[in-house]
Amino acid sequence: MIGFLRGAIATCKASDSSRKNTPSYWLTLDVQGVGYDIQITASAANKLPLVGEETQIFTHLIVREDQMTLFGFPTLAERELFRQLISVSGIGTQVGLALLNSLGIQDLVKAIVSGNTRVLSLTPGVGTKTAERLALELKTKLADWRLAQVGAISSVGSVVSVAVQEEVEMTLLALGYTPTEISNALNAIASLPILAKTQDIEAWIKEAIAWLSR
């Protein structure tokens, strides 16, 4: 319903109901005179510009009988991974935020695709059984990950490093794209001037998703 919001930061303060070790924050964004309260992770809060400055937040709206809550993320990839997380039985919004906050998108994706339940269970609120279920359910969607990371996209190698390529592949796999789709997308965008001299993972992910969404 609300894909993203762009506006000036009015306030950003810790949530009273934050988990002890993984605090969340309430960001109030002034969008043309309307203040939107958005729950974000502590790590996202630390990356925000100063109060009064403009920023863009990708959002996910949860509607319940007694309330509506907007959750915000600094990147599209992080929001999409959050949606994957909360689709797993037993993973609520607060646990999803906690996972993103404690591990970050890259390490979280690595833990999921490798089935590293020990790393996943280090997050407060994630027990061993929950970590196993999380890895099992999402890893099924990423069953071809190991095939995808073994030189699947040869023409991209001269443009971007292997490390960046693997990070981009893993993130896109976590978002539900197949290895074939990812290979086609990265080959298609490799010649874009905007990516010719950059090793920016988020830039590659953004362009790949744009191509896949056409």
Side-chain angles (χ1 to χ4, degrees), residues 73-86:
F73 309 91
T75 66
L76 179 61
E78 191 167 328
R79 186 193 68 184
E80 295 307 306
L81 181 54
F82 174 77
R83 289 176 171 175
Q84 291 283 344
L85 293 172
I86 63 175

Side-chain angles (χ1 to χ4, degrees), residues 14-15 17-25 39-45 94 97-98 101:
S15 170
S17 60
S18 292
R19 291 174 178 272
K20 183 177 180 180
N21 297 319
T22 55
S24 62
Y25 279 68
Q39 192 172 9
I40 62 175
T41 63
S43 59
Q94 297 309 308
L97 290 179
N101 186 73

Side-chain angles (χ1 to χ4, degrees), residues 9-18 23-29 36-42 45 48 67-72 94 97:
I9 298 174
T11 62
C12 186
K13 57 184 180 180
S15 170
D16 293 336
S17 60
S18 292
S24 62
Y25 279 68
W26 281 105
L27 164 68
T28 300
L29 205 61
Y36 290 87
D37 291 333
I38 309 165
Q39 192 172 9
I40 62 175
T41 63
L48 289 173
Q67 65 177 352
M68 292 190 295
T69 305
L70 270 176
F71 295 90
Q94 297 309 308
L97 290 179

